[in-house]
Amino acid sequence: QRPNTWGEIYGTITNGPGYASYEKDRFKDFALRATFTPLTNETSLSPIIRSFTISPWYYKGQVGSNFATGGTGQVGPGTNGAIVDGLTRDRYGIFAGIKERRLTAGAEFAQRKDESETGGNTAASPRVVHDSTGRVIDGFAIARPVEWFDASQRSPFSIVARWDHFTPNTSPTSANYVGTTPAYDYYLLGASYDLTQRMTLTFDYQNQSPTDFPTPTGTNVRPTPQQTTIFLHFNVAF
């Protein structure tokens, strides 16, 4: 966010699938993010409201097929049976939030679409492309409630909350998951205290639990059981 502006636009073109891997094929990935701060110049509003930001983003990617070079007995449309088309690797979402010392909060919706392949790309073992779409919805808040009553008095105390709902596949095709859409919920609730400007002590409760999984029978995959953790930790900045 910059004074007297409504936001910014940022774009990239990369050789590989983002920053997580080296260049492995001929495909390029494109990403674009727009950040809007429509209330930044409204001086009559609270600084918390003026900090409101909304950021839609989109990532268009592809990865090469395992059969991109073809081979003996392969039946792809390219030379020597090669598969010349890329496999989809897209991500997109939208984030909205506010950022001020008394309250920092945000919420996001994000989705990914990946293609994968099985088979040997031969007449006896045809290549099959599988499409999977995953989704995450999350929100968080860091608040200093003491400062809500008097912003001029700095308080070392803050509370933290977070929630994530992650769906690995929004439309599972396996017969094991008929009528269900397995997902995971993650919750965090805690409090922190600034011992100094560079040292913070935090105590929090975290819980992860599976939802909408089928009853584990036969070859059904058993979900990760509910996990609850209590943390007491320091954060030190140098």
Side-chain angles (χ1 to χ4, degrees):
Q1 178 179 340
R2 301 173 181 174
N4 302 316
T5 65
W6 276 28
E8 64 181 13
I9 296 178
Y10 172 80
T12 62
I13 302 176
T14 56
N15 278 332
Y19 57 83
S21 176
Y22 59 89
E23 181 180 0
K24 297 186 294 185
D25 49 48
R26 64 182 178 84
F27 297 102
K28 304 294 185 286
D29 287 4
F30 305 86
L32 184 67
R33 185 198 71 215
T35 300
F36 302 105
T37 53
L39 304 177
T40 188
N41 296 323
E42 301 294 332
T43 57
S44 62
L45 297 176
S46 162
I48 296 178
I49 299 176
R50 289 174 58 196
S51 72
F52 174 74
T53 301
I54 185 167
S55 296
W57 55 273
Y58 182 72
Y59 182 103
K60 178 64 178 177
Q62 287 183 301
V63 293
S65 168
N66 293 326
F67 312 106
T69 58
T72 303
Q74 295 193 22
V75 294
T79 302
N80 202 28
I83 302 295
V84 296
D85 294 333
L87 297 168
T88 297
R89 185 179 182 275
D90 295 345
R91 282 96 175 92
Y92 54 90
I94 186 168
F95 171 84
I98 53 177
K99 184 178 181 180
E100 209 260 357
R101 177 177 166 83
R102 291 169 291 173
L103 177 64
T104 298
E108 183 176 29
F109 169 91
Q111 193 152 297
R112 60 143 178 83
K113 181 177 182 181
D114 289 325
E115 288 182 338
S116 60
E117 54 191 358
T118 58
N121 192 34
T122 64
S125 177
R127 170 181 177 262
V128 179
V129 176
H130 302 274
D131 185 1
S132 65
T133 298
R135 178 187 303 145
V136 63
I137 303 171
D138 61 81
F140 70 92
I142 304 172
R144 296 179 183 271
V146 175
E147 295 186 18
W148 295 349
F149 303 98
D150 186 354
S152 64
Q153 297 295 321
R154 293 274 177 126
S155 170
F157 174 74
S158 61
I159 56 176
V160 181
R162 173 178 169 179
W163 169 72
D164 299 78
H165 182 74
F166 172 57
T167 307
N169 194 324
T170 58
S171 300
T173 56
S174 172
N176 293 334
Y177 299 119
V178 172
T180 65
T181 305
Y184 290 93
D185 283 316
Y186 171 81
Y187 305 91
L188 180 149
L189 183 63
S192 66
Y193 189 87
D194 298 331
L195 300 175
T196 68
Q197 290 185 341
R198 294 182 176 274
M199 181 180 294
T200 301
L201 174 66
T202 302
F203 176 82
D204 58 56
Y205 162 88
Q206 300 181 26
N207 178 274
Q208 177 179 285
S209 57
T211 64
D212 201 24
F213 273 80
T215 303
T217 58
T219 59
N220 281 4
V221 176
R222 293 179 179 271
T224 302
Q226 178 170 298
Q227 298 176 338
T228 300
T229 309
I230 302 296
F231 275 104
L232 177 63
H233 47 99
F234 285 95
N235 181 28
V236 181
F238 294 93

